[in-house]
Amino acid sequence: MKYRTWIKKKNSADQGMVVTSLRWLGVSLLVFGFSATAGAGPREQAKRIHDRLAGVPPSELVLQQMEADVDPFQAGTPLDAAFRAMDNANFYNVTLKNFVAPWTNEAGDVFVPLNDYIATVVGMIRDDVPFNTLLSADIIYVGANNLGLPPYSNTNNNHYVALEDGSFDMMTGLEQRLQSNVTGLPPAATAGVITTRAAAESFFEAGTNRAMFRFTMKNHLCNDMEQVHDTNLVPDRIRKDVSRSPGGDSRLFLNSCIGCHTGMDPLAGAYAYYDFDTTAGSIQYTAGVVQPKYSNNEENFPGGYQTTDDSWINYWREGQNRFLGWDPTGPGSGNGAKTMGQELGNSVAFAACQVKKVFKAVCLRQPEDATDRGQIDQMVASFQAGGSYSMKQTFAEAAVYCMGQ
Ligand code: HEC
């Protein structure tokens, strides 16, 4: 609106000058030249939207269409321009791949081969699958049958490596499937990207399955463990492997260990039936049987919590972590990774985290001031509106906000 009034004023001033006297032509050009470098016109704005989303310059035809979308005097809106820019294989193969890849390994490395976690996120974004189901749905994306790829395998990543090496594009080459059909996990044991092979290999391997929880919090609620540290809740679900007097000092337990383990251990109970079998190279699910890793180092504190099933409970609905915005209609407790994934995916923190990640990927910076934070709030509201959870809409809104003025 502001831009529209400004450009209208500027145009009538320019016209007036040209009509009144040619003497003013020089001045008029000077004015025009100045405003063209100080501010971005529709063409520059369109170009920036395209660069940020597709990562490559637009063709002249697409640029013209996008310029018209952005131009307040022509049909269309800047959001239309953003959707046009996303209609480009590069948005999926490069921008989104690089956006997601760091979530799939502990090091946060962007330079990893395509895998089922990345492909599933890219496919869900492409098809506008409500993104709050990311950690719970019975869903996976695979390469289309007609691409001649080796079939999906539970024991290796060859299918996705071939998809990437063959330069097949994810805009057209990915197909949505039921994860339970592809991997053979019971439908109730699927939990979106959590139960993909890539996530299992990175986060269920060895350890105590707390890593899966920690990295899900870090990557999808944008809170690492230090940020959710709360020492004021009941520690009754902390497992036996956590010493209650580390180094002979119980104060350390009370001031430090409790802060993370009180909330984390009862939530990570949801993963009790999962492991990653490194010899077979595949995820392992033992319905009804708690994995041995849940009994590691029981001697550290024999009076600690014994995991007997895959039940979970969210103690962080109380205390400082209630500000993560848990869904008031959610259960707050349950059994298994799927319902726990719904608990996380329906929180405000999950929605805000996706929006902030998109903002950073598209604007190439963190939100900085009150105006940016207001924009983030609006985008979170838009993301959650009507349960749409459309990441594409979020990408479009970020690109328009950062298209320059
Ligand atoms: C900032 C949060 C945080 C604090 C504080 C914390 N832990 Fe942990 N702890 C974790 C996370 C996350 C894991 C899972 C690490 C992984 O597997 O990557 C973990 C894992 C463990 C494990 C399992 C180790 C294994 O072999 O996988 C033990 C035992 C443990 N913690 C004990 C303690 C004790 C004792 C303290 C206090 C001195 C403590 N923790 C403090 C977050 C924390």
Side-chain angles (χ1 to χ4, degrees):
M1 201 62 201
K2 243 195 229 155
Y3 173 77
R4 203 182 278 258
T5 352
W6 169 77
I7 197 121
K8 265 188 188 144
K9 254 187 173 160
K10 179 185 161 303
N11 281 355
S12 61
D14 286 356
Q15 271 168 18
M17 277 189 277
V18 174
V19 171
T20 319
S21 161
L22 278 173
R23 259 193 321 145
W24 288 97
L25 185 61
V27 179
S28 178
L29 282 175
L30 197 71
V31 170
F32 178 76
F34 175 73
S35 55
T37 45
R43 193 173 174 86
E44 287 70 28
Q45 293 172 320
K47 210 185 255 171
R48 175 165 311 171
I49 289 174
H50 197 279
D51 288 350
R52 293 292 171 85
L53 292 173
V56 289
S59 68
E60 182 54 31
L61 176 66
V62 169
L63 181 59
Q64 279 172 15
Q65 292 168 332
M66 288 178 61
E67 184 183 352
D69 291 334
V70 171
D71 188 337
F73 298 110
Q74 300 194 50
T77 67
L79 278 178
D80 296 335
F83 278 95
R84 242 187 250 280
M86 286 187 280
D87 196 13
N88 182 312
N90 227 57
F91 172 66
Y92 299 95
N93 295 341
V94 180
T95 307
L96 288 185
K97 196 215 155 183
N98 292 345
F99 181 63
V100 181
W103 312 341
T104 69
N105 62 90
E106 289 203 0
D109 191 351
V110 65
F111 300 109
V112 294
L114 184 67
N115 58 47
D116 55 354
Y117 187 152
I118 301 172
T120 299
V121 177
V122 172
M124 287 177 76
I125 295 176
R126 183 194 68 184
D127 296 347
D128 259 337
V129 177
F131 208 66
N132 61 328
T133 64
L134 180 74
L135 311 175
S136 58
D138 184 357
I139 195 170
I140 197 166
Y141 278 76
V142 296
N145 287 334
N146 63 6
L147 299 181
L149 304 169
Y152 180 95
S153 168
N154 282 338
T155 58
N156 64 58
N157 192 41
N158 298 351
H159 176 75
Y160 295 94
V161 169
L163 178 68
E164 189 169 43
D165 288 355
S167 304
F168 298 112
D169 88 63
M170 291 202 273
M171 185 165 104
T172 56
L174 288 179
E175 288 183 359
Q176 186 188 124
R177 299 265 194 279
L178 284 174
Q179 191 181 116
S180 51
N181 277 355
V182 172
T183 68
L185 273 180
T190 60
V193 293
I194 298 287
T195 47
T196 56
R197 182 177 176 279
E201 184 174 28
S202 291
F203 309 122
F204 280 149
E205 201 243 300
T208 56
N209 284 359
R210 291 170 174 116
M212 180 65 86
F213 179 75
R214 178 197 161 198
F215 283 94
T216 304
M217 286 295 289
K218 185 167 183 264
N219 292 323
H220 294 298
L221 276 77
C222 293
N223 274 278
D224 207 344
M225 287 299 128
E226 292 79 10
Q227 292 157 287
V228 291
H229 196 263
D230 181 357
T231 54
N232 293 317
L233 301 165
V234 196
D236 64 334
R237 292 273 297 229
I238 296 184
R239 290 185 219 163
K240 302 180 186 206
D241 58 351
V242 179
S243 166
R244 270 38 171 196
S245 54
D249 186 353
S250 62
R251 285 172 307 177
L252 190 55
F253 174 72
L254 295 171
N255 297 327
S256 164
C257 321
I258 269 194
C260 294
H261 283 273
T262 287
M264 169 174 65
D265 284 13
L267 284 163
Y271 304 138
Y273 302 159
Y274 299 88
D275 195 2
F276 185 78
D277 180 338
T278 39
T279 314
S282 101
I283 192 172
Q284 201 189 43
Y285 180 75
T286 48
V289 180
V290 176
Q291 292 288 344
K293 58 168 72 173
Y294 278 72
S295 310
N296 282 359
N297 300 313
E298 289 180 310
E299 67 286 356
N300 285 358
F301 187 72
Y305 182 74
Q306 173 81 48
T307 307
T308 55
D309 55 22
D310 67 348
S311 64
W312 60 269
I313 178 163
N314 184 3
Y315 284 159
W316 285 339
R317 279 182 169 253
E318 307 290 327
Q320 65 178 51
N321 291 318
R322 67 182 185 280
F323 296 113
L324 295 174
W326 307 105
D327 176 6
T329 67
S333 63
N335 281 84
K338 190 186 279 296
T339 52
M340 211 273 278
Q342 289 164 347
E343 175 85 352
L344 299 178
N346 290 324
S347 67
V348 177
F350 177 88
C353 182
Q354 310 311 323
V355 166
K356 281 182 206 153
K357 287 185 293 188
V358 171
F359 184 100
K360 189 170 168 240
V362 174
C363 297
L364 307 179
R365 62 180 179 82
Q366 301 279 4
E368 281 153 12
D369 54 19
T371 316
D372 287 350
R373 284 190 292 276
Q375 172 68 14
I376 294 282
D377 289 347
Q378 271 181 37
M379 285 166 63
V380 172
S382 158
F383 187 55
Q384 293 185 300
S388 61
Y389 291 93
S390 163
M391 286 289 272
K392 246 196 236 166
Q393 177 73 21
T394 302
F395 270 95
E397 289 173 7
V400 169
Y401 181 70
C402 288
M403 70 182 178
Q405 285 159 358

